[in-house]
Amino acid sequence: MSWVAIAGSESFRAISPSEFFYRNRELAGFSNPARALYQTVRELTENALDATDAHGILPDIKITIDRTDEEQESIYMVSVEDNGIGIPPHYVPQAFGMVLFSSKYTLRQTRGMFGLGAKMVVLYGQITVGKPVEVITSPIKSSRIYSFKLLIDIKNNEPIVLERSSWQKNSPWHGTIVKVYILGDWQRSKSKIVEYIRRTHVIAPYASIFFRDPDGNIYIFRRATELIPKPPKETKPHPVGVDLEMMKMMLASTRRRTLLEFLENDFQGVGRVTAERILELAGLRGDRSPKRLSQSEIEKLVSVIKEFNEFRRPSADHLSPIGEEILKIGLSNMFKPEFVDAVTRKPTSYSGHAVIVEAGIAYGGRVPLANDPTEILLLRFANKIPLLYDESSDVSFKVISSIDWKDYEIEFPAPLAVLVHVCSTKVPYRGVGKESIADVPEIEAEIRNGVREVARRLRSYLSKKKREEEIARRAYSIVKYIPEISRSLSAIVADGSSKNIEEKLIYLARAKLGVNINSVNDVVINIE
Ligand code: ADP
Ligand code: MG
C-alpha cells in the first residue's frame, strides 16, 4: 500500500530552537536585508534601554551603522553602546548564543520578553556574513572589562566562544557594547530606522541618544529632562492567570512548606482569608505539603480558583508607565506643538495581568496634516518600545480611526498626532517581532477612554481658541471703521481732533468688546 511506503520513508527528528528561528527568521522580523537592519538596531537598542532606565540609570546610548562596501545590499557593521548594568561575564555566551535564554522571564515590565532578540541578530549575521558578534561588557560593580567573540552552534542551540579576554578597568565605566556584521540595506531601511530612534526619544526624552548613519550623518537626541519613570518591579503571578501547567510548575518549585503558605505568599492578590476559603472549597487541608498533591487535587484547586471571583484585581504598582509630565516633554520636544497633553489611566487588567494605558495628543507645530482619521499620525508604544510596522492591524489604529473627531472640534485636514502607550507584564503582541498589539477588549476600552480624555482637553483648547478668534473678528469688523468715523466726527464736533476721538473710541471698544487693543493697528495684526 502506498501510504505504508510514504510513512516508511518519512524521517523524523526534532530541531533546536536556534534551528527553528534560523529557518523561520521572518517570524522575528528578519525577512529581508532592509527589515533585518532595522530589526538589528531595534533589538540592540531595546536591550540597551532595558539595561539602563529599568534600573534607574539615565540612558546614554550610542548607535553607529557603518557600510563596509559600496553596494546597496551590503555588509554593515552595527554597534550599540550603553551605560547600563552590564552582563555578568559567565552569562554572556548564553545571552548571545543560546536562543530562548533571558534574564527577563520573570513577571516584570521589560522591552524584551522572548529571549530572542540578541540571538536573532547574531544568527542573522552568522548566516549572511559569517563574522562573530563582539560583546564588551562591564557589570556595574565589577573592576574588570570583559570581551567576547562568539557564534551560535545552530544544531545544538549552544554558544561557540571564539575569543574571550578581560582586563582591569581604569575608569568607572559600566555598560555593554555589542558589535555585529550583517547583510543590510540602508537605503530601504533608512526612514524607518531614523523614525524608530526619534520615537524612542519621544517616549524616553530622558535618554541621550547619539546616532551616526552609514552616510556619516550624525543625529544627536539630547536629554530633554532628568525625570525618569519609576523602574518596574518584579511581581508574583495573579491566580486568575494561572493554568494547570503553571500551577504544577509553581507547586513543584515552591519553597513554602504548606499549601496555605504557598497560596498566601506565592501569588499576588491572595491574603490569609482568601487562601483559607479556596482550600476549603477545594477540600484540601492547609497544612498539606505543596509537593504532595495528586493530579486530581491540583485540577480541583485550579478549577476552584477559576470560578472564584473575589480576588483583588492584579496590582499595577510594579508597572512602569512614563507619566504625564515626561510624555508631554517627549511630544513637545519632537513637535513643538501649539497644544500638548497626556494622561496616564488608572490600571486595569486582562487575564490576570495588570495593564496601564497612557495617551497623549500633540496638535499643530510640526505635526503633519492628516486628511482623515486613518491618516492621523499615530505613535504606538508598548512597554516603551515604538511600534512602526503593521499599523493597520493594531488595536490603537482601530480605536483612532473609529473615533468621530468632529465631536472634538477637529476638522480635517488637521495637524493631529496621537500617542498610545500600553504597559503590562504581558503585552498581547500579535507576533514575536513585537510590531502590533492584538485587540483585547479590556485594552481597547482603556485606549478609547484615554484618547477621549485627552481629546476632550484638546476640544476645550480649540473651542477657547475659536471663541477668542470670533471675538477678535467681531471686534475687527467694528474697530476697522474707527479712523473713518473719527475723521467724519472731527469735522462736525467743535472741539474734537480726529486723534482724540479715535483714542476715545478705542477706549470704548476695549471696554465694550472685551478685546485687548491699544491702537487700530493691533486689531489688524491680531486678526491676521
Ligand atoms: P530578551 O531581551 O528578550 O531577554 P535578548 O536575546 O535580546 O532577549 O537578550 C538576552 C539577555 O541578554 C537579556 O535578557 C539580558 O539579560 C542580556 N542582555 C542583552 N543585551 C544587554 C545589554 N546591552 N545590557 C545588559 N544585558 C543585556
Ligand atoms: Mg532583547
Side-chain angles (χ1 to χ4, degrees):
M1 295 255 302
S2 62
W3 67 267
V4 174
I6 291 167
S9 66
E10 289 281 41
S11 69
F12 292 85
R13 76 175 179 103
I15 59 168
S16 78
S18 295
E19 193 170 345
F20 175 79
F21 284 104
Y22 161 70
R23 292 177 180 215
N24 300 292
R25 47 191 174 270
E26 63 291 340
L27 290 180
F30 290 74
S31 40
N32 57 57
R35 189 74 193 264
L37 188 55
Y38 161 81
Q39 198 71 22
T40 296
V41 169
R42 202 187 130 161
E43 295 290 358
L44 299 183
T45 305
E46 278 161 28
N47 283 348
L49 287 164
D50 272 343
T52 46
D53 69 358
H55 299 270
I57 302 170
L58 285 169
D60 267 315
I61 312 282
K62 193 171 158 205
I63 306 164
T64 57
I65 306 181
D66 288 291
R67 199 183 271 117
T68 61
D69 55 45
E70 289 309 311
E71 303 290 310
Q72 186 180 22
E73 274 193 8
S74 85
I75 297 169
Y76 292 86
M77 188 195 81
V78 182
S79 159
V80 176
E81 172 175 347
D82 65 62
N83 59 334
I85 54 165
I87 311 169
H90 52 283
Y91 284 133
V92 170
Q94 286 150 306
F96 288 84
M98 179 187 277
V99 171
L100 308 186
F101 182 89
S102 171
S103 63
K104 300 171 194 166
Y105 289 148
T106 52
L107 277 177
R108 191 160 47 113
Q109 176 195 328
T110 47
R111 295 173 175 84
M113 63 187 287
F114 298 121
L116 192 61
K119 276 74 78 174
M120 281 313 298
V121 172
V122 178
L123 261 180
Y124 181 79
Q126 181 168 334
I127 302 162
T128 57
V129 182
K131 283 201 186 181
V133 59
E134 292 177 42
V135 183
I136 296 174
T137 188
S138 184
I140 207 158
K141 289 206 182 97
S142 169
S143 59
R144 298 187 77 74
I145 296 178
Y146 301 87
S147 166
F148 292 81
K149 281 193 183 171
L150 56 90
L151 289 170
I152 300 180
D153 172 347
I154 298 176
K155 278 258 168 311
N156 297 309
N157 190 28
E158 272 169 14
I160 307 170
V161 179
L162 302 172
E163 271 179 53
R164 174 197 309 251
S165 60
S166 78
W167 57 92
Q168 198 67 27
K169 68 180 170 190
N170 50 16
S171 75
W173 180 74
H174 56 82
T176 303
I177 306 170
V178 180
K179 202 191 274 185
V180 285
Y181 294 84
I182 60 157
L183 179 72
D185 183 341
W186 168 246
Q187 221 40 49
R188 295 214 174 84
S189 57
K190 187 174 171 171
S191 61
K192 281 278 197 258
I193 291 178
V194 173
E195 190 58 20
Y196 172 80
I197 299 174
R198 287 179 75 212
R199 291 193 190 187
T200 297
H201 202 243
V202 170
I203 199 86
Y206 48 82
S208 149
I209 307 178
F210 170 98
F211 172 47
R212 197 189 66 230
D213 76 13
D215 302 325
N217 300 312
I218 290 177
Y219 304 71
I220 294 176
F221 298 88
R222 284 203 182 78
R223 177 168 294 129
T225 174
E226 302 262 316
L227 289 174
I228 181 166
K230 177 176 72 69
K233 290 201 289 271
E234 192 177 334
T235 184
K236 298 173 194 165
H238 189 277
V240 168
V242 174
D243 58 22
L244 187 59
E245 280 312 309
M246 187 161 170
M247 182 61 90
K248 279 192 202 162
M249 283 192 269
M250 288 179 71
L251 286 164
S253 63
T254 184
R255 283 201 217 98
R256 313 286 169 195
R257 286 179 304 103
T258 69
L259 260 186
L260 186 63
E261 281 176 25
F262 167 71
L263 286 178
E264 201 183 333
N265 298 297
D266 285 7
F267 293 92
Q268 54 159 306
V270 182
R272 167 64 62 108
V273 179
T274 311
E276 281 169 346
R277 293 243 350 251
I278 290 170
L279 289 171
E280 197 187 313
L281 288 168
L284 291 166
R285 286 213 337 260
D287 59 357
R288 294 270 307 271
S289 160
K291 313 243 187 234
R292 299 250 164 78
L293 296 193
S294 68
Q295 169 77 14
S296 64
E297 284 171 327
I298 303 178
E299 281 169 15
K300 179 76 185 155
L301 182 62
V302 171
S303 80
V304 165
I305 289 178
K306 279 271 164 292
E307 265 148 43
F308 191 83
N309 47 18
E310 292 160 42
F311 291 115
R312 267 175 271 143
R313 67 155 47 188
S315 129
D317 52 10
H318 55 279
L319 292 182
S320 170
I322 299 294
E324 297 172 6
E325 197 56 36
I326 301 180
L327 284 175
K328 284 198 273 188
I329 294 173
L331 284 169
S332 303
N333 200 39
M334 182 166 182
F335 297 113
K336 311 278 177 270
E338 77 177 73
F339 171 91
V340 65
D341 213 336
V343 59
T344 300
R345 300 276 305 167
K346 291 219 173 61
T348 176
S349 67
Y350 81 98
S351 314
H353 291 279
V355 179
I356 294 182
V357 168
E358 305 190 279
I361 280 189
Y363 182 90
R366 294 190 201 142
V367 179
L369 283 178
N371 290 314
D372 62 63
T374 63
E375 282 187 7
I376 293 173
L377 178 60
L378 173 57
L379 306 162
R380 297 177 290 135
F381 299 92
N383 286 352
K384 306 184 184 135
I385 304 179
L387 310 181
L388 261 62
Y389 284 93
D390 306 340
E391 178 178 277
S392 58
S393 58
D394 192 287
V395 58
S396 302
F397 179 79
K398 181 175 162 194
V399 171
I400 306 294
S401 46
S402 70
I403 286 180
D404 190 353
W405 290 92
K406 277 202 292 301
D407 293 349
Y408 301 96
E409 303 269 341
I410 302 284
E411 278 162 31
F412 291 98
L416 183 61
V418 175
L419 175 154
V420 175
H421 179 214
V422 176
C423 34
S424 175
T425 43
K426 187 167 185 298
V427 173
Y429 291 114
R430 286 189 191 274
V432 289
K434 297 183 285 196
E435 281 299 353
S436 69
I437 300 181
D439 25 351
V440 172
E442 293 90 334
I443 296 183
E444 183 177 337
E446 269 310 296
I447 296 176
R448 178 162 282 116
N449 291 336
V451 173
R452 283 200 174 136
E453 196 172 332
V454 272
R456 277 196 297 275
R457 296 187 206 160
L458 173 61
R459 177 177 61 200
S460 314
Y461 166 80
L462 290 177
S463 18
K464 184 160 171 254
K465 182 175 153 190
K466 214 165 161 186
R467 266 199 314 279
E468 281 170 3
E469 277 173 4
E470 192 45 42
I471 291 174
R473 197 166 290 118
R474 277 213 320 269
Y476 174 64
S477 62
I478 298 170
V479 173
K480 69 180 176 190
Y481 296 110
I482 289 182
E484 203 184 317
I485 297 172
S486 307
R487 270 192 306 281
S488 322
L489 282 177
S490 71
I492 49 172
V493 178
D495 67 335
S497 73
S498 145
K499 189 92 193 103
N500 264 343
I501 294 173
E502 192 174 309
E503 270 169 20
K504 281 193 182 115
L505 286 176
I506 285 172
Y507 174 79
L508 257 175
R510 210 163 49 210
K512 297 277 181 214
L513 301 174
V515 285
N516 186 18
I517 51 168
N518 293 309
S519 80
V520 175
N521 293 342
D522 279 356
V523 182
V524 178
I525 289 161
N526 278 344
I527 295 278
E528 282 166 2

